Amino acid sequence: MCRPVATPDTQGAFYRGWRLTAIDGTTFDLPDTKANVEAFGRPPRSGRGEQNVGCSQLRLVGLVECGTHAIFEAAVGALRAGEQTLARAVLVSLRPGMLLLADRGFYGVDLWRNAAATGADLLWRVRKDLVLPVVEQLSDGS
């Protein structure tokens, strides 16, 4: 069973009582067989605009425990599956007491709500051009 493995003494695994976790995605090259191309797909184009180039690839999104780098939940799909789609499947392993870090590719209200519903706390980056309304101005200016 995959699960977080850090102890309170594990360097970089906790911050102010939170177990630090992160979500991220990647792709893996697969053997270039007809079955893999049909099941997972190929990159749609190269940097030069060429179509259907390279090996077939799968997409993976995982939850990782910071400090140990242990992957404790993962979802695999076709290359055409988006990271946000696969992310929904891994959020079930979040728990209260975890702080989930995510990059700007995961920002979205529905995904945020799903992650927050687990009881985990969230710290996610957003695109630099995203304009969020000021809800409350705090005394420190933030």
Side-chain angles (χ1 to χ4, degrees):
M1 208 69 195
C2 293
R3 61 178 176 77
V5 295
T7 67
D9 296 328
T10 304
Q11 188 173 9
F14 291 88
Y15 177 74
R16 297 189 177 192
W18 284 297
R19 180 182 297 273
L20 297 177
T21 63
I23 187 170
D24 207 355
T26 190
T27 57
F28 288 97
D29 289 343
L30 300 171
D32 202 20
T33 66
K34 183 178 180 193
N36 282 343
V37 171
E38 289 173 0
F40 298 103
R42 295 179 195 239
R45 61 191 151 303
S46 73
R48 296 182 302 268
E50 300 162 317
Q51 299 294 312
N52 295 313
V53 297
C55 295
S56 52
Q57 295 180 329
L58 66 78
R59 185 175 309 281
L60 176 135
V61 170
L63 289 177
V64 179
E65 180 180 51
C66 301
T68 64
H69 301 196
I71 298 171
F72 63 96
E73 186 66 73
V76 175
L79 184 60
R80 64 189 164 278
E83 285 186 345
Q84 286 198 11
T85 300
L86 293 175
R88 292 179 198 327
V90 302
L91 296 179
V92 298
S93 290
L94 293 175
R95 301 285 179 265
M98 293 180 172
L99 178 62
L100 178 64
L101 310 173
D103 68 26
R104 64 186 181 185
F106 292 94
Y107 171 75
V109 174
D110 290 337
L111 196 58
W112 176 274
R113 286 181 179 156
N114 289 347
T118 67
D121 292 296
L122 312 177
L123 179 61
W124 294 11
R125 290 182 55 205
V126 296
R127 296 184 334 262
K128 66 181 179 181
D129 61 345
L130 182 67
V131 179
L132 297 171
V134 175
V135 175
E136 178 184 353
Q137 181 95 25
L138 302 178
S139 61
D140 68 356
S142 62

